[in-house]
Amino acid sequence: MSTPAQQATSALQAQLASGALAGNWTLDPARSTVTLRSKSMWGLAPVKGAFRQVSGRGTVSPTGEVSGRIEVGAASIDTGLAKRDNHLRSADFFLSDKYPVITFDLDRITVAGDGVTVAGTLTVRERSQPLSFLATAAVAGDGEVVLDGAVQVNRADFGLTWNQLGMASSHNTISIHAVFTRG
């Protein structure tokens, strides 16, 4: 007996292969979220935040190849603490005045097992790194695709090396809930 995740993956794979999902897709910013989790205070205090500005688009070819881009407003980080948010926007971290957008350029999605492997390039402060992560993806309703995933990143790979007295972890988790609609 297959799990709901396996059934959703099989349905997605069939629709990609048949060309049923071919066309242009737009990320719905009202129903999509990009969040960040880290630890500060020597790993004792979790820090959670959400980027309040997110946009994106994607294309599915008639043969099922997927490409696209998600853009996140660097200055839109919201951790619930204004002083910390301002510090994250500063030169110590995102330098959002000079680099206002964080991007993920999707190269491909490969259907496998209970989900998909998402592969592309993450760019922060003009530093790009290849990135691959597991996600779940499903066709929901009429003309809607939902993608959920999380990936570990080392912020030092993007030049975000501030770490006064070892207070801030370099290892962070970025989670995405992306809802795409046709158009």
Side-chain angles (χ1 to χ4, degrees):
M1 184 169 183
S2 62
T3 67
Q6 290 169 327
Q7 292 170 358
T9 301
S10 294
L12 175 68
Q13 187 170 23
Q15 289 187 21
L16 284 169
S18 73
L21 298 178
N24 295 317
W25 295 81
T26 303
L27 183 113
D28 181 345
R31 296 187 298 148
S32 300
T33 57
V34 175
T35 61
L36 177 68
R37 271 192 342 254
S38 187
K39 296 211 181 218
S40 69
M41 302 299 287
W42 304 282
L44 300 174
V47 175
K48 297 176 185 177
F51 292 93
R52 300 298 179 200
Q53 294 175 350
V54 60
S55 63
R57 60 195 172 285
T59 302
V60 178
S61 76
T63 56
E65 288 92 20
V66 180
S67 62
R69 173 176 261 217
I70 293 178
E71 297 181 345
V72 174
S76 73
I77 186 70
D78 180 2
T79 65
L81 185 60
K83 185 175 180 178
R84 179 174 43 220
D85 295 345
N86 288 332
H87 188 211
L88 289 169
R89 294 177 186 116
S90 77
D92 286 340
F93 291 96
F94 295 125
L95 188 54
S96 62
D97 287 344
K98 185 173 181 182
Y99 305 106
V101 179
I102 298 166
T103 61
F104 179 74
D105 289 301
L106 173 68
D107 296 328
R108 71 185 169 284
I109 289 181
T110 307
V111 179
D114 286 356
V116 297
T117 299
V118 177
T121 303
L122 179 64
T123 302
V124 180
R125 290 179 58 158
E126 292 185 351
R127 290 195 187 190
S128 299
Q129 293 287 322
L131 195 63
S132 178
F133 60 95
L134 297 175
T136 60
V139 178
D142 184 31
E144 198 171 270
V145 174
V146 179
L147 177 83
D148 286 291
V151 62
Q152 299 289 316
V153 295
N154 183 334
R155 63 184 173 84
D157 292 342
F158 301 96
L160 308 176
T161 58
W162 182 90
N163 195 5
Q164 186 175 7
L165 303 174
M167 288 179 59
S169 173
S170 290
H171 302 285
N172 301 272
T173 302
I174 299 171
S175 297
I176 184 164
H177 172 76
V179 179
F180 288 90
T181 58
R182 285 196 186 269

